[in-house]
Amino acid sequence: MVFGLASAAPAMAQEDLIFKKSTVWKALTPDDKLAVYGVDDPLVEGVACHYTVPEKGGVKGMFGVAEEVSEVSLACRQIGPIRFKDKAEQGDVVFRERRSLIWKKMQIVRGCDAKRNVLVYLVYSDKLIDGSPQNSTSTVPIMPWGSAGEAPKCSDWIR
């Protein structure tokens, strides 16, 4: 029974660290940094997103207990022929990451602009008690790729 529940969970992207750049130097503890990560959409083959997040250094950052700020930037692009692996809902989570010890998480969610046949990705952070309105949006127009033929319609796959 537990196995059935696990298989029903939505697919989650795995992040790849691309690089980090120090923004604030700290003498005896890790620096504050900007980190750039890449994720492939787990349900839409041919789409990749890159996001940049600040990472706190200092003593709290060194021990993994610093609450990270909500500023995140996002860019998503078509990197090959688009193929939908399964049906999805508007606003389904593509990627989720904890941004504090307990309360805050960052999420990338996906939607479909059916009128324009465009995938829309939104990154935001939320907190159990007080969320943040800070967000970033990126769009991926679904285009034919090479000789792959006609591009699929996102409205056939995202409800």
Side-chain angles (χ1 to χ4, degrees):
M1 196 77 165
V2 171
F3 296 110
L5 292 175
S7 65
M12 294 293 287
Q14 298 296 312
E15 66 183 348
D16 298 315
L17 175 64
I18 307 303
F19 69 92
K20 293 184 180 188
K21 189 71 178 163
S22 291
T23 58
V24 176
W25 181 79
K26 307 272 187 182
L28 300 173
T29 58
D31 294 348
D32 290 353
K33 295 178 176 70
L34 289 174
V36 178
Y37 293 92
V39 295
D40 295 314
D41 188 318
L43 291 180
V44 184
E45 192 175 293
V47 173
C49 295
H50 292 87
Y51 66 93
T52 302
V53 291
E55 294 183 349
K56 294 266 187 191
V59 174
K60 286 184 177 182
M62 184 168 55
F63 292 108
V65 295
E67 182 174 332
E68 301 292 349
V69 295
S70 298
E71 293 91 2
V72 181
S73 65
L74 176 70
C76 300
R77 302 289 183 266
Q78 182 175 353
I79 59 168
I82 288 187
R83 187 178 73 78
F84 290 86
K85 297 176 184 176
D86 202 357
K87 295 204 180 239
E89 298 291 326
Q90 291 279 18
D92 273 357
V93 175
V94 174
F95 177 77
R96 179 180 293 136
E97 167 183 271
R98 206 173 74 221
R99 298 293 290 157
S100 73
L101 194 56
I102 299 173
W103 307 109
K104 187 186 280 187
K105 64 183 176 296
M106 179 209 64
Q107 301 184 84
I108 300 174
V109 296
R110 165 197 337 98
C112 166
D113 175 347
K115 179 179 177 182
R116 296 165 185 84
N117 198 30
V118 171
L119 291 167
V120 180
Y121 292 85
L122 166 68
V123 64
Y124 67 98
S125 66
D126 58 11
K127 195 172 181 179
L128 185 60
I129 296 169
D130 182 27
S132 171
Q134 296 179 2
N135 63 79
S136 182
T137 303
S138 186
T139 59
V140 178
I142 301 175
M143 307 295 286
W145 193 270
S147 61
E150 191 172 324
K153 302 285 184 218
C154 66
S155 59
D156 293 340
W157 294 91
I158 299 176
R159 304 179 278 284

